[in-house]
Amino acid sequence: MTDLQNPRILRAEIRAQRFTGPTSGVGGDALQANLVILPEAEAAAFLRFAQANPQPIPLLAVGAPGDPSLPSLGNGIDLRHDLSRYRVWHDGALVGEPADIADLWRDDLVSFAIGCSFSFEDALVQAGLPVRHQSAGRNVPMYRTNIPTRPAGPFEGPVVVSMRAMPAAAAIEAVQICASLPLAHGAPVHLGDPALIGISDIMTPDYGDAPVIEEGDIPVFWACGVTPQAAILAAKPAFAITHAPGYMLVTDIPAGQAERRLRGVHARPGA
Amino acid sequence: MTDLQNPRILRAEIRAQRFTGPTSGVGGDALQANLVILPEAEAAAFLRFAQANPQPIPLLAVGAPGDPSLPSLGNGIDLRHDLSRYRVWHDGALVGEPADIADLWRDDLVSFAIGCSFSFEDALVQAGLPVRHQSAGRNVPMYRTNIPTRPAGPFEGPVVVSMRAMPAAAAIEAVQICASLPLAHGAPVHLGDPALIGISDIMTPDYGDAPVIEEGDIPVFWACGVTPQAAILAAKPAFAITHAPGYMLVTDIPAGQAERRLRGVHARPGA
């Protein structure tokens, strides 16, 4: 039987196009990442944008121009094949959702792997905290806020947040858990009254599904990986590739070891 | 000039009854403590009560029966003289507020030094977070909740909380700061809707002064050192001595080093 919980086997299955689905629930406890690919010209400004906004855009790895590997995240990763669905953008408009981008690859493309909320949701579940959209089989609700990003070159726009509602005691625990996970968006950026960050209707998110909020819950808001995607689309680069939402780059790095292994001087791949 | 910021000089001044005021703003950055003194018979149950409820009752030190010193908290501490005001209780009723308890001391008295919120408020101020009752020159508002303590012997009752209102982003930082200070009540126990923990009117606290709440603030609630006092009074021991509110035991231990120095195997006094 094919062990889709093994990230290397999973990537091989994806590369062979035998596994074509979203990556939630597969890859074991391996860190999953958002992917952004830009031509070198735009990549320099995007790198500055990411470094100025580490909470919505926690950079896990940046590829060398033209290099589709990301050795610090896993041996043998080839970004031309190893995601099950990509999105291709021309001048900010979606032009396709291919399962492989080998034919689109160019010598000037720079790849960015960006931390995603899967890792911290896993930590919340491990701690016994409710993650209501997961239990309900829904996508997490996400909202544009009135919190601005720090702009860099053509990249700017509001911080997008994801929301998870839970009792206050759980929210207090979640702050402590997530504060130690800066590569997965870190501590929440807001909790309580949504209007204070410019969200007028909590039941109508800008992205994702409607929230599940139980009585006594407080809404808790985290910086979200949709922030860079929204900024990229607004900047309308001539050419860009991203992962398709939910179809992530699966690394070799156990999520619980990501902070130590990717931040350390002696960072080692997921070998 | 007498340096009241030096905790040893301050204790000597208190012992000589030249300093007779509350200890807020003096003693430098030294850890200050709540004091509870009980006869040995009740002390055993109170010790179990404290250990079952570490968040409202963080024990810094427990004296040997009849011993008025607490060497782990400071060289030469003599609890019979070293607080500027005490409260004496008979059967749960306040019978006096002496400045010295040498004439009341007995061979069976056991002393408990309990962490207090001064230390964590200092950490919040250091981090640039608002502590509105301080800025307004008021006492912190405190409330009885519907959260029960874990009972032990005659000691039981609700957790009492203190409340500090601040913007949500500050509350998120405060959770992270206070989580690392378990000897000063640790992370908050609740935030947001006061009714969820049985507080019907936030503007009318059960102890302390009315709160200062600014627009956009969220109320944040911490377990409070009044919890054990309330439990002791409810248990109505035949005899008890406590500090008078605001007139604390000033230790030799810098507040920022308390966790490391009092929790470690090699705990050393504030020498």
Side-chain angles (χ1 to χ4, degrees):
Chain A
M1 199 183 121
T2 309
D3 181 8
L4 296 176
Q5 300 309 323
N6 178 316
R8 292 195 203 185
I9 293 173
L10 175 63
R11 284 203 307 273
E13 290 295 298
I14 289 173
R15 192 180 297 193
Q17 300 192 14
R18 286 190 294 265
F19 182 88
T20 58
T23 51
S24 173
V26 295
D29 68 345
L31 183 70
Q32 301 199 11
N34 298 290
L35 179 67
V36 166
I37 301 174
L38 288 168
E40 210 171 348
E42 283 85 12
F46 183 72
L47 183 51
R48 283 187 289 118
F49 184 61
Q51 291 189 316
N53 297 281
Q55 210 163 6
I57 320 174
L59 281 182
L60 304 177
V62 182
D67 183 352
S69 77
L70 286 174
S72 66
L73 297 185
N75 285 328
I77 286 177
D78 187 333
L79 296 172
R80 295 171 299 187
H81 316 288
D82 285 2
L83 278 70
S84 46
R85 193 178 299 174
Y86 300 82
R87 284 186 163 180
V88 181
W89 308 84
H90 287 175
D91 300 315
L94 179 65
V95 297
E97 287 209 343
D100 190 287
I101 53 165
D103 57 331
L104 301 173
W105 194 258
R106 301 174 2 186
D107 279 352
D108 67 338
L109 293 183
V110 176
S111 302
F112 297 87
I114 299 167
C116 100
S117 58
F118 283 17
S119 334
F120 89 71
E121 285 191 353
D122 206 49
L124 298 183
V125 169
Q126 295 290 329
L129 305 183
V131 181
R132 304 212 189 283
H133 69 275
Q134 275 192 11
S135 312
R138 297 191 193 174
N139 195 355
V140 71
M142 293 163 277
Y143 309 83
R144 297 167 71 88
T145 69
N146 61 11
I147 307 170
T149 56
R150 296 182 186 91
F155 301 106
E156 61 181 346
V159 172
V160 178
V161 294
S162 61
M163 193 284 288
R164 292 158 194 82
M166 58 189 76
I172 290 165
E173 269 200 75
V175 169
Q176 297 172 61
I177 291 167
C178 292
S180 68
L181 300 172
L183 294 179
H185 302 302
V189 295
H190 183 63
L191 42 74
D193 186 357
L196 292 173
I197 55 170
I199 299 171
S200 54
D201 180 5
I202 191 79
M203 297 313 290
T204 310
D206 296 304
Y207 313 90
D209 292 330
V212 182
I213 305 179
E214 298 193 2
E215 196 178 331
D217 277 357
I218 187 169
V220 186
F221 301 90
W222 279 263
C224 172
V226 170
T227 306
Q229 294 210 17
I232 289 165
L233 301 195
K236 298 193 194 331
F239 181 70
I241 301 171
T242 66
H243 69 285
Y247 299 72
M248 316 301 285
L249 169 65
V250 179
T251 75
D252 284 355
I253 305 202
Q257 300 180 23
E259 304 290 338
R260 195 168 73 245
R261 284 169 70 163
L262 293 175
R263 296 265 184 198
V265 172
H266 298 288
R268 58 187 171 108
Chain B
M1 198 183 119
T2 308
D3 181 9
L4 296 177
Q5 300 307 321
N6 178 318
R8 290 195 206 186
I9 293 174
L10 175 63
R11 285 202 308 272
E13 290 296 298
I14 290 172
R15 193 181 297 194
Q17 299 193 15
R18 285 190 295 265
F19 182 87
T20 58
T23 52
S24 176
V26 294
D29 68 344
L31 183 71
Q32 301 200 10
N34 298 290
L35 178 68
V36 166
I37 300 174
L38 287 168
E40 207 171 351
E42 283 85 12
F46 184 73
L47 183 51
R48 285 187 287 117
F49 185 61
Q51 292 191 314
N53 298 280
Q55 211 163 4
I57 319 173
L59 280 182
L60 303 178
V62 182
D67 184 352
S69 76
L70 286 175
S72 66
L73 298 185
N75 285 328
I77 285 176
D78 187 332
L79 296 173
R80 296 171 296 186
H81 316 288
D82 286 2
L83 278 71
S84 45
R85 193 178 299 174
Y86 300 81
R87 285 187 161 179
V88 181
W89 308 84
H90 287 176
D91 300 316
L94 179 64
V95 297
E97 287 209 344
D100 189 287
I101 55 167
D103 57 330
L104 300 173
W105 194 258
R106 301 173 3 186
D107 280 351
D108 66 338
L109 293 182
V110 177
S111 303
F112 298 87
I114 299 168
C116 100
S117 57
F118 283 17
S119 336
F120 87 73
E121 286 191 352
D122 206 49
L124 299 183
V125 169
Q126 294 291 329
L129 305 183
V131 180
R132 303 210 188 285
H133 68 276
Q134 274 191 10
S135 311
R138 298 192 194 173
N139 196 354
V140 70
M142 294 163 276
Y143 309 83
R144 297 168 69 90
T145 69
N146 62 11
I147 307 170
T149 55
R150 296 182 186 89
F155 301 105
E156 60 182 344
V159 172
V160 177
V161 294
S162 60
M163 192 284 287
R164 291 158 193 83
M166 58 188 78
I172 290 165
E173 268 200 76
V175 169
Q176 297 172 58
I177 291 166
C178 293
S180 68
L181 300 173
L183 294 179
H185 302 302
V189 295
H190 182 63
L191 42 75
D193 186 356
L196 292 173
I197 55 170
I199 298 170
S200 53
D201 180 5
I202 191 79
M203 297 312 292
T204 310
D206 296 304
Y207 313 90
D209 292 330
V212 182
I213 304 179
E214 297 194 2
E215 195 178 332
D217 276 357
I218 187 169
V220 185
F221 301 90
W222 278 263
C224 173
V226 171
T227 307
Q229 293 211 18
I232 289 165
L233 301 195
K236 299 194 194 326
F239 181 70
I241 301 171
T242 66
H243 69 286
Y247 299 73
M248 316 300 285
L249 170 64
V250 178
T251 75
D252 284 355
I253 306 204
Q257 300 179 23
E259 304 291 338
R260 195 168 74 247
R261 283 168 73 165
L262 293 175
R263 296 265 185 198
V265 172
H266 298 289
R268 61 188 168 104

